[in-house]
Amino acid sequence: MNGRWLLKRIGMSLLVVWSTITLTFALIRLMPGSPISRMRAELYQQYGATMTQAEIDRQVRLYLNVQPDEPLWQQYITYLLDTFQGDLGHSYVQGIEVTVILADVLPWTVLLLSIAIMFQYTIGILLGASMAYAEGSRFDFLSTSVSTFLVSVPFYVFAFLLIFFFVFQWDLFPQGGKYSTGLEAGSLAFYRSVLYHATLPIVSLVITGFGGIALSMRANSIQTLGSDYIRGAQLRGLSNFRISYRYVARNAILPLYTGLLIQIGFLFGGAVILEQIFSYRGIGYVLLDATLYRDYPLMMGTFMVITIAVVVGVFVADLTYGKLDPRIQTGDSQ
Amino acid sequence: MSQQVVAQENILELRDVTVSFGMNRGVSKVLDDVSIDIHRGEILGVVGESGSGKSMLASALLDAVVDPGTVDGEVSYRTDSGETVDILDLEDEELRQLRWEEIAMVFQGAMSFFNPTMKIRGHFLETLKAHDQDVDEGMEHARELLTDLHLEPDRVFDTFPHELSGGMKQRALIALSLILEPNVLVMDEPTAALDLLMQRSILTLLDDLQEKYDLTIVFITHDLPLVKDLCDRIAVMYAFDVMEVFPAGDLSNSTHPYTRSLLNAVPNLTTSLDELRSIEGSAPDPVDIPSGCSYHPRCPLSTPECEQEDPPLEEIAPDQEVACWHHEKVDEELPLALETSDGGSAEVYEGNQSDEPVVVMDDIEVHFETDDGGLLSLFDDPEIVRAVDGVDLEIYENDVVAIVGESGCGKTTFGKTAVGLQEPTGGSVRYRGQDIWETKRGEGTGDRSYDEIRRALQIIHQDPGSSLNPNRKVSSILQVPMKSWQSDLDVEDRKARLLAMLEAAGMSPPEDYADRYPHQLSGGEKQRVALIRALLMNPDLILADEAVSALDVSMRVDMMDLMLTLQDLFDTSYLFISHNLTNARYLAGRAGGRIAVMYLGEIIEIGPAEEIVQNPQHPYTQALHWSTTDLDSNSEGEADESPIRAIDVPDPIDPPSGCRFHPRCPEAREVCATEKPSLDSGTDHCTACFREYSEDHPYWDSEPLGEETIGAHVGGESS
């Protein structure tokens, strides 16, 4: 990794974020039945007699970060500056700042997704490695079939099944929500309740997600097992345990890392459906709500936060890839 | 099984060792009843072509044949205390301890032997721990070994495998194999992937190590001349069995027809070029070994007796065994070519080059920017690799120019620049007077289009396997150039033409070959197809980048002969890139061409092929010449002193000041470190060395460079 590359990489991330901001700005301005005219109409309808044109514009600006009577480029710059300062406008359904709403829901989504990814990869890697060791056995055949089946089931189908059995049939888990009401935040009971409520969504992601990881881990491990350095390690008399974790697993995991990046983006997108099914008020839930109620500031703010989350995730993964695989010189000209 | 006792002087005895693999086509015997003794403290060379079973022999010595292969017979090892152990009978734990503590092994590809995600230090540490050795003491030993191998222990320990150059990695691997102080070291083609100069340097070091640590070394290779000086005895393998064993000192000791033919097929620096003969036919399939003597179908001396009965290995002199019914007749019927030839007075062929140059390169520079360094170098300038730095060369019609140099010297980059595949960062490349890159940008003044120039300059790659599309048949691969350049030919014409070409290239029946896919061809045949494909473009210049290096020794002469025959037919020139002076000599010598020696991006000596080979002037060319073993010398079992002072090539990012060779040059004086000699011009044979300058040059009054001055300059490759 080197400085020039790092600067270039940061520049690229900023470019993505900037394009997102620009796109959202364009959306506000150009969409037929734009949020601006809609909001004006609403305000006019409500306070038509009591509110001057200037006051309506001020309200619009407060909520949408847009000053309707300014020239387009000026509006754009104001919007850009506001956004970069962290001011995403006000939700006009809830009437509070978008940033406050997002700060409230984002941690919940991150909680769900990070636990799910952790389990997906742990189970996938362990299972995949064992399948590679037992290549050709009954265990390998069965696990391969099961993994292939599970990876082809969409998580929301599985989520419905979980709800049907675990909630409605057996009443083992709550149907929705993030925690039981009436518990003191920070107490042990509160955290237990949080995990209890998060169980089903996480399970639906993990069960339908680990199969793909296991299958690629299996393929990578089999390839690694055939390489010369494994043979060399065996001849040098290293223990099987050391060979399996320091030689096989260490090298077979490398290609999975790229998959992790794609997974982050994919799961954020999936959160919209997942949180809806489990009535879990995370960022995906808020996004869908905002879309349904045409709460444009909130919708666009959510959209942007998801983009930034993916950009940051990919960026961090890129930076750390070189640590994982010393052969990858991040930013090598080739 | 009756356990035999290993004789005192032997450390390993193999009796009827067979390795077999069950295959769909039948049982494949990749080692066929091999019996051989390995003496304590000797260096035994095991020589054979690829597919002769020599690597299986190495694996069998450690009972490490990969599944599903099975080993039968006896491999008996005599321990220091005089006990005999049958390696094939050992329990897993005993075997684990025997390996590396008693018998260690160095594999063919050091590149892939190290765990890519672990530092070199880790490899040493884990080996010591796995064998319950004292770690501090062991690491001290490792340091000593690395120092013996001309590596800096602290630097090497802290690098990842990919950060070392091939030669350094191979030496680190040798150190790793000796870490537990084994008695026997089995080396399977340990130097095959390296430059000749590096190979020879490693061999010299091995010789020292063997003496210092009292080792027995089994050195497996396809390159008989290479190990001749290193080894005490040489065992020659053919078709999965040992054909003969003879003392290495004098190659005329060899008495098996196969050994003789093999030696006569190897290009070298002394044999007259006309005497080289390739061996007819090909090595047998492991499933279907000929009855009787397995060599009889190819042997010029074979009689009905050979077809019926397999000759046993019989002792004909001390340390000498041979398996041939006719070994007495060998001296008469198959004399060694190097004995009959009259030494160095090889005939120089008249080239039929025109005076008109096809490609002229003028002060070519190719510099690459690299990004290397940590976060701290945030605002540093990118580092520049000077791959090619100020080279002039003219290539004429029907010319052969061979570029010789170590890997990393810029010869491939230079070659690509010559055929317009790499844009130079400085200087100009002109095709028949027209600047190639200006033409490409549309600024040129000449009347040729860029496409025409592109067609006239072709390339054959080093690896024939990856340069042909695996999903297309030979016929469609070869039709592509004709379709694009001779659109007036119809299908029948094209077909007839390519069949004629295949026939001319010795691939008959051509109809059969035209219908094959690349994976159904041997390496040599693939390279022929690549050559034909290039020639069908009717080019004026072909860049042959290590075009024969990947082929077996006996195939190389064939391939180069074909290149020369087709040169006559097609009126083309070759720019031949090789790290091997003998191949360069063969190709350039026969066509009356030139050899240019490159070092760190510069041509340091250029001249007529035979002149360069017989009378090298630059100390570096002399070192390359040394690295090419003289088959004729009868020096006894000792690899002579290396003529270079440092083994590794300096970092091309920061080349040494003055003459770039001075840190390694045995003749370097103080002036060499500050001033740079230029390639004198005017004569046919030019050398960039002060020693070629007149006697009043300051070089002759300058002090020789001392050892301490050298160490400071030698950095070694870092990437």
Side-chain angles (χ1 to χ4, degrees), chain A residues 128-144 218 222 225:
Chain A
S130 342
M131 278 151 74
Y133 265 100
E135 192 198 346
S137 67
R138 269 173 71 94
F139 166 73
D140 179 30
F141 176 75
L142 273 173
S143 314
T144 308
R218 175 182 180 270
I222 287 174
L225 278 171

Side-chain angles (χ1 to χ4, degrees), chain A residues 231-294:
Chain A
R231 189 158 177 240
Q234 284 164 347
L235 284 183
R236 275 187 289 141
L238 304 189
S239 65
N240 281 335
F241 177 68
R242 183 164 178 92
I243 293 177
S244 57
Y245 88 94
R246 195 64 185 81
Y247 279 70
V248 184
R250 183 72 173 73
N251 286 288
I253 281 173
L254 297 179
L256 292 181
Y257 204 60
T258 328
L260 181 65
L261 309 184
I262 302 165
Q263 192 79 342
I264 294 172
F266 177 77
L267 284 181
F268 260 110
V272 175
I273 306 175
L274 182 81
E275 291 174 351
Q276 206 62 39
I277 296 173
F278 289 100
S279 319
Y280 197 91
R281 220 177 100 82
I283 198 161
Y285 189 92
V286 167
L287 176 60
L288 190 66
D289 258 9
T291 317
L292 291 176
Y293 291 108
R294 303 183 75 181

Side-chain angles (χ1 to χ4, degrees), chain B residues 376-396:
Chain B
L376 292 176
S377 62
L378 195 59
F379 299 105
D380 286 357
D381 289 330
E383 286 172 321
I384 309 267
V385 177
R386 298 161 190 278
V388 181
D389 211 8
V391 174
D392 302 304
L393 185 68
E394 295 179 351
I395 301 169
Y396 299 92

Side-chain angles (χ1 to χ4, degrees), chain B residues 48 156 211 229 232 243 256 271 338 355 408 418 422 452 502 506 523 598 664 673 678 718:
Chain B
V156 171
E211 230 162 90
D229 289 340
D232 299 306
M243 289 286 125
H256 196 282
T271 310
L338 54 95
D355 290 336
Q422 169 73 49
E452 262 175 81
L502 285 172
M598 265 186 102
R664 302 171 75 193
S678 61
S718 65

Side-chain angles (χ1 to χ4, degrees), chain A residues 1-8 227-239 242-243 246-248 250-251 254 319 322-334, chain B residues 59 62 64-66 96 99-100 105 107 109 112-119 122-124 126-127 130-131 160 162 176 180 369-375 377-382:
Chain A
M1 185 201 324
N2 68 82
R4 267 157 46 101
W5 176 83
L6 191 69
L7 286 179
K8 218 157 71 181
S227 56
D228 284 347
Y229 53 83
I230 301 293
R231 189 158 177 240
Q234 284 164 347
L235 284 183
R236 275 187 289 141
L238 304 189
S239 65
R242 183 164 178 92
I243 293 177
R246 195 64 185 81
Y247 279 70
V248 184
R250 183 72 173 73
N251 286 288
L254 297 179
L319 284 185
K323 296 268 171 264
L324 207 60
D325 186 349
R327 282 166 300 178
I328 307 288
Q329 238 188 356
T330 9
D332 206 337
S333 41
Q334 270 106 52
Chain B
S59 299
L62 282 87
V65 173
V66 287
R96 191 184 78 82
R99 290 176 183 163
W100 234 259
M105 182 163 176
F107 277 117
S112 51
F113 189 87
F114 287 106
N115 183 347
T117 52
M118 187 157 69
K119 287 187 177 171
H123 290 86
F124 282 92
E126 66 180 8
T127 312
H131 290 268
F160 282 105
H162 70 278
L176 179 60
L180 301 178
E369 281 185 16
T370 68
D371 294 322
D372 192 36
L375 266 175
S377 62
L378 195 59
F379 299 105
D380 286 357
D381 289 330

